[in-house]
Amino acid sequence: MMQFPLLLKTFLLRAAKYFPKKEIVSVYPEEIFRYTYADYYKRTCQLAHALNAIGIKRGDRVASVALNNHRHLELYFGVPCSGAALHTVNFRLPQNHLAYVINHAEDRVLFIDEDLVFFIELVKDQLKTVKQYVILSQTGKMPQTTLSPVVLYDEWIAEFPETYDWPEDLSEWDPALICYTSATTGDPKGVVYSHRGLILHSFAVGCMLGVMERDCSLHIVPMFHANAWGGPFGGVGFGCKQVLPGRELMNMEKICRIIADEKVTFTAGVPTIWMMLYNYLEAGGWHDFSSLKTIASGGSACPRFLMEGLNEKYGFPIMQAYGMTETTPLALAAVPKSTMDHLSPSEMYDVKSSAGILAPGLEMKIVDEKGEEVPMDGKSWGEILLRGPWIAKEYDKDPERSKPVFAGGWLHTGDVGTIDAEGYVRLVDRTKDLVKSGGEWISSVDLENLIMSHPSVLEAAVIGVPDPKWQERPVGCIVVKSGMTLTPDELKAFLKDKVKANWWIPQQFAFIDQIPKTSVGKFSKKELREMFAAGKMPLSG
Amino acid sequence: MMQFPLLLKTFLLRAAKYFPKKEIVSVYPEEIFRYTYADYYKRTCQLAHALNAIGIKRGDRVASVALNNHRHLELYFGVPCSGAALHTVNFRLPQNHLAYVINHAEDRVLFIDEDLVFFIELVKDQLKTVKQYVILSQTGKMPQTTLSPVVLYDEWIAEFPETYDWPEDLSEWDPALICYTSATTGDPKGVVYSHRGLILHSFAVGCMLGVMERDCSLHIVPMFHANAWGGPFGGVGFGCKQVLPGRELMNMEKICRIIADEKVTFTAGVPTIWMMLYNYLEAGGWHDFSSLKTIASGGSACPRFLMEGLNEKYGFPIMQAYGMTETTPLALAAVPKSTMDHLSPSEMYDVKSSAGILAPGLEMKIVDEKGEEVPMDGKSWGEILLRGPWIAKEYDKDPERSKPVFAGGWLHTGDVGTIDAEGYVRLVDRTKDLVKSGGEWISSVDLENLIMSHPSVLEAAVIGVPDPKWQERPVGCIVVKSGMTLTPDELKAFLKDKVKANWWIPQQFAFIDQIPKTSVGKFSKKELREMFAAGKMPLSG
């Protein structure tokens, strides 16, 4: 077979030549912008020329500070196809982390949404490598800014030709995108995605979730969060219609309108979003989900009641998927097998609410503390280890922290799970969030899900706290739904027949206003532990 | 990303671990044999041990002389995953070619279906490298044979362990399978498929045709014909149910029964098969096609009336695809775009009967005689050039004949086609089958399709023959349906308003009993030209 490298250029050219009339839709506060892959392609060519003109070379890194819009999608292909790598910056990081990731990646150019300029202004004096700021503006006006030198993207690229000779000598191993994980301890860790990894991930997503040309893909996951979970790459490669919701990704009324108007078939997102959607729907919010085919929930465990509620009451065909920044991200998806069509609805939700079955192209082991594979009995716990062509091999320029995570050629996910005889994995906990009480393990996640199934509970997180007698005991941190009340005794009674053993039931609860979240919307148990350690948690029990 | 090679082993392990209960069904004259991927895996492990035991090493070649059955499917994975390469021999080749390909490939072991032993006995004295014959037998009895040394496959592998440590140091570029094209001139040419190529081809087929776990794949294409068009690889990788029809692949009553009983969703085959199916259905043959989702026709152009008839009258969802031995084989597929849903049935068949649109992952150029890309106007002709990770880079050990075909890093397909504004290619002819009459080109394929749309014509092939005035003129070689009659004048009148220009209409026809076919079922125009040159063609006009 030909020594033909797997490059994003091949996907881009296919869309431009053979799907020139298919649409990209980008939602802005004042307008819904539409253009075609033919238009899109011309601007990626102009962008590539513009990068060359300011001396950006193969292997250089440039960064985006942007939400999900059509200019960001131009960067997704224009930058890597020209030979540079695109660092998609999570602008919600704390300031010190924001400056850290840009310096650590050695970003030479920053592409910034016009309404996100503020975030960069705050850290600009700490940035060591940036030599050009470029504003992504839909209004066409240069915002008031202290950033310099600065240009408007549309004006900057406009002078360049609409065709480009994409380099053919790139290696498929060359960096294409870079994401930093929002590290719970220490500085963020960079993951570099190769052209090869992104192409193979796109194919696997297509074959696993059935995404193809016919699909209209709505990108709810921020484009700085693990490549928007890969959707934009397969989207271009397969010629899908793509919809970018911009700043409206938390606006459930708008999202429901977009799904109906654009006939969206596929989307993905974190449980926080689905909880917002569910609350919107429960309040009688308008929706028409008739076009939807497949919805993937990932990032953290989606409570089963939420999946059942969305599916059964509203025909929102949600299932779980599993992955992380280090896995591009899709590693598992809870697609029921064709041999499971006879299952009862309840059994079917057991499947759909699992973390899923391994994607084709990857290899997995679930190992106990001795490194032995646990039996496929749906009960035995172990850490999930993954390897494959779209699994990271290291953290960028960080051999020290890479060593334990990537030991032996496997990614040690830090997630603890079971696997059943059919191959479906169920997450038990993060290795570091497990609560060890009297020598026995308690899964904080299982406990949270049980607590969140109480009708008065909006959100719940469980952390382990030191205990003189039992080593550790779980504490339930609870947000009660507005207008409702709940006491520790009521909760304990509710949990009594549901927990695996009575000693799983927390003695202590903390009723708080909100669960602190990480910058990508996950529960921050680190912050909860700090609150507890500082004596700032209002315990009752 | 990890330096993780794309190996067939990863697909095999996934099926064994996570789809252990999914079925493989193998049809024999006396029984329908069924087993699971768990059983299948054990036997591939035993096979790998057995190969090691007789000294087969990484890079060695072994061959199969077999039809589509479960033992052949074990060879498809057991051989390449153990590090050797499987040469799938087309036993219908002429004897001298049969000996040539086995010697040229340097096959060390021959795996032979019990009822195909005869073919090899005829050439055994010419074989220079074979040191072991292995009989694939469902009856369990060693056939009477002069082959030596010879063993029964089931007995031979039975003594070995049912687990195997697959080598992890194979390169994804290592040979996995080998096929020879049935060359129209000279010796057959070998194409070597790498692990990488087969994995990527599987993914592209999945994303292009929508094949996934839920599909039940029936392999009608012989497993010696371009990897059975790749179906077995994606089948294992995605955990599909697979059905192998054995010797029944030409028995339309049996094929229709299998489709209904096994709830087949996907299959593929050459037009010769679909013509047999159509004739069976037109004669009132029993069928139930309710499970079918996608049927791909390839190998040669499927006449439009046949596609329309099968679809409209019988709900047989056939569309065209395009490829060749050198392209693994899928390169194009005539999947209508989602934006074409409003087309009339007739316009839709224009799309479905095209050669199709380029598969994701490949690059294509259609170039005129000067090497310039022809415009996407649906009219301009050019030769189709392809490149990509599952396109051959050469013919095995044949630099001389490889040079022109793979010049400049592109496969020169020898097919002439047009491409329309939506990216759909339509084949005009083989470069060597075009008829040049008075300086203008006539497409033999277009003319054949017009002739075959006459209700009395069973088959038709058009060849160019020398002409003193016009350089070349087309001759129509016609097989009339049994019980019907047809004269040259009737045919000329029929063609009058259908051809692009009146000078396309042949002056001369040859009414013959059958069109000679190549060993893979295509019209052999080479033989027709030889008949003409030898004065053995009964011309009338």
Side-chain angles (χ1 to χ4, degrees), chain A residues 367-379:
Chain A
V367 297
D368 62 21
E369 282 158 309
K370 290 173 204 140
E372 300 290 326
E373 280 196 72
V374 303
M376 290 174 66
D377 59 8
K379 290 176 193 159

Side-chain angles (χ1 to χ4, degrees), chain A residues 2 4 10 14 17-18 168 172 196 213-214 337-338 341 358 363 373 387 391 422, chain B residues 1-2 4 10 14 17-18 168 172 196 213-214 337-338 341 358 363 373 387 391 422:
Chain A
M2 288 180 179
F4 185 85
T10 302
R14 181 172 185 263
K17 281 179 90 166
Y18 307 125
E168 303 228 320
E172 65 188 34
R196 171 186 167 101
E213 180 277 332
R214 186 156 285 280
K337 294 181 188 174
S338 52
D341 289 347
L358 187 70
E363 295 184 11
E373 280 196 72
R387 64 179 183 182
I391 309 294
E422 288 280 5
Chain B
M1 300 287 104
M2 289 180 178
F4 185 86
T10 302
R14 181 172 187 262
K17 281 178 90 166
Y18 307 124
E168 304 227 319
E172 66 189 35
R196 170 185 167 103
E213 180 277 332
R214 186 157 286 278
K337 294 181 188 174
S338 53
D341 288 348
L358 187 70
E363 295 183 11
E373 279 197 72
R387 63 181 184 182
I391 308 294
E422 288 280 4

Side-chain angles (χ1 to χ4, degrees), chain A residues 46 64 87 99 106 116 130 160 226 238 251 288 290 326 329 345 356:
Chain A
Q46 292 178 311
S64 60
H87 168 203
E106 301 174 63
L116 301 177
V130 178
F160 294 101
F238 308 152
N251 178 343
D288 172 0
S290 56
E326 293 85 342

Side-chain angles (χ1 to χ4, degrees), chain A residues 24-42:
Chain A
I24 295 165
V25 180
S26 195
V27 179
Y28 294 91
E30 306 294 322
E31 65 172 317
I32 292 185
F33 175 85
R34 292 167 190 281
Y35 69 167
T36 64
Y37 279 117
D39 306 322
Y40 170 76
Y41 180 70
K42 289 176 191 163

